[in-house]
Amino acid sequence: MAQKLSEQTGQSFVVENKPGATGTIGLTQVARSAPDGYTLVANDTTHSLLPHIFKTLPFDHAQDLVPVTAYLFAPMTLAVNANSPYKTLDDLLQQAKKEPDTITYGSGGPGTIPHFAAESLGLTAGVRFMHVPFKGAAEATQAILAQTIDMQFASTTGVIGNVQGGKLRLLAISGDQRTAALPDVPTFTESGLQGFGVINWTGIWAPKGTPDSVLQRLQKEVATAMADPDMQEFAQKMGAQPRHVDTADFTQMLKGSSEMWGVVASKTGFESR
């Protein structure tokens, strides 16, 4: 996206990775930046989790950042090792019902999207899994490849290489339709599970007070970028869905997402850090 925006505007869009504290380090820096359109932050679905995994945040989650646009939607997949005895989602859920807390799943740590996605699956299906947290998603993927855990939730972009390489098997994918990059993987609904709708999206925020004219220009440029055939092909090869969501719809989407994760946090007894 940064490359496309640079090409379209003639301005340099420089990406500065700011990892740590579930993304709040980078978010805080942008929240405290001048609202002139020159400092933005890109984040994913994790943004709507933050009020439920931290007792306090170093910025006002509801006020200090303005949603600009969401533009990439990657379904969440339920992956097992290619040699796993679980061939279908029903196989796995039936075993979880027989022996609660015995099927293990890995994540990049408590409060991450894969953690909450697995807990959401458990709530939806009426089963319990055993959480095995790692220091990052890559370690969780290595664990499932080594068969030291049973399953992992990940976005399509995170597993598609190992799936195509024959190392992982996907039991189901979220969303209302199959993805062209993984046409043989059924949706959770097709697999008999209703009401599981976790999607990992990517969006852009600006500091509070950024002029409307700047926000509108950014929305227009992102929409133009996502309509480019190269960007569409790039997204689809990763199993993602390229879309453009304006500020009003993005704001509503964030509200609904945050409410959904709040229910999961409450029902699973997750304690904020």
Side-chain angles (χ1 to χ4, degrees):
M1 177 57 71
Q3 179 181 334
K4 277 294 178 187
L5 293 179
S6 295
E7 293 172 0
Q8 290 171 196
T9 64
Q11 299 281 340
S12 295
F13 280 73
V14 179
V15 177
E16 184 179 358
N17 293 312
K18 285 284 185 178
T22 321
T24 58
I25 292 175
L27 290 165
T28 301
Q29 178 179 327
V30 175
R32 295 173 179 173
S33 297
D36 54 13
Y38 285 90
T39 305
L40 309 168
V41 63
N43 201 4
D44 62 10
T45 313
T46 307
H47 188 84
S48 57
L49 272 175
L50 296 177
H52 310 297
I53 61 177
F54 290 101
K55 290 179 180 177
T56 59
L57 288 166
F59 62 95
D60 187 325
H61 185 266
Q63 299 292 330
D64 288 349
L65 291 167
V66 179
V68 179
T69 179
Y71 56 89
L72 192 67
F73 293 74
M76 295 297 290
T77 64
L78 179 57
V80 297
N81 189 282
N83 296 318
S84 169
Y86 307 118
K87 307 296 184 184
T88 67
L89 176 64
D90 189 60
D91 289 344
L92 186 142
L93 295 180
Q94 290 300 325
Q95 179 61 28
K97 289 176 181 177
K98 290 178 185 176
E99 299 184 50
D101 295 318
T102 58
I103 292 180
T104 56
Y105 72 91
S107 80
T112 58
I113 291 296
H115 171 213
F116 269 57
E119 293 299 319
S120 179
L121 174 63
L123 289 171
T124 304
V127 300
R128 296 201 310 269
F129 305 113
M130 176 67 71
H131 183 205
V132 183
F134 293 88
K135 292 180 180 178
E139 286 191 12
T141 299
Q142 289 304 310
I144 196 170
L145 291 172
Q147 291 187 277
T148 55
I149 58 173
D150 295 310
M151 68 180 200
Q152 178 191 15
F153 263 99
S155 65
T156 51
T157 56
V159 297
I160 196 166
N162 283 314
V163 171
Q164 293 173 340
K167 297 178 181 179
L168 294 179
R169 178 192 306 130
L170 299 184
L171 301 185
I173 190 169
S174 66
D176 55 9
Q177 61 185 12
R178 299 189 185 196
T179 177
L182 299 163
D184 297 328
V185 181
T187 66
F188 281 91
T189 301
E190 287 179 309
S191 301
L193 186 69
Q194 303 289 332
F196 183 79
V198 178
I199 296 285
N200 191 34
W201 40 260
T202 301
I204 292 175
W205 287 256
K208 178 180 67 175
T210 300
D212 287 342
S213 59
V214 174
L215 299 177
Q216 290 168 8
R217 173 73 187 279
L218 286 167
Q219 289 174 29
K220 178 182 176 182
E221 296 296 345
V222 171
T224 299
M226 292 315 298
D228 186 282
D230 289 344
M231 287 289 281
Q232 298 243 336
E233 182 182 6
F234 174 75
Q236 289 165 0
K237 281 184 177 179
M238 295 191 299
Q241 301 165 358
R243 278 193 279 162
H244 170 252
V245 178
D246 64 21
T247 293
D249 289 341
F250 190 18
T251 300
Q252 286 300 113
M253 192 178 80
L254 283 168
K255 183 175 182 293
S257 180
S258 186
E259 289 173 352
M260 178 186 74
W261 293 128
V263 171
V264 175
S266 175
K267 288 188 174 181
T268 58
F270 183 82
E271 295 184 0
S272 300
R273 290 182 245 174

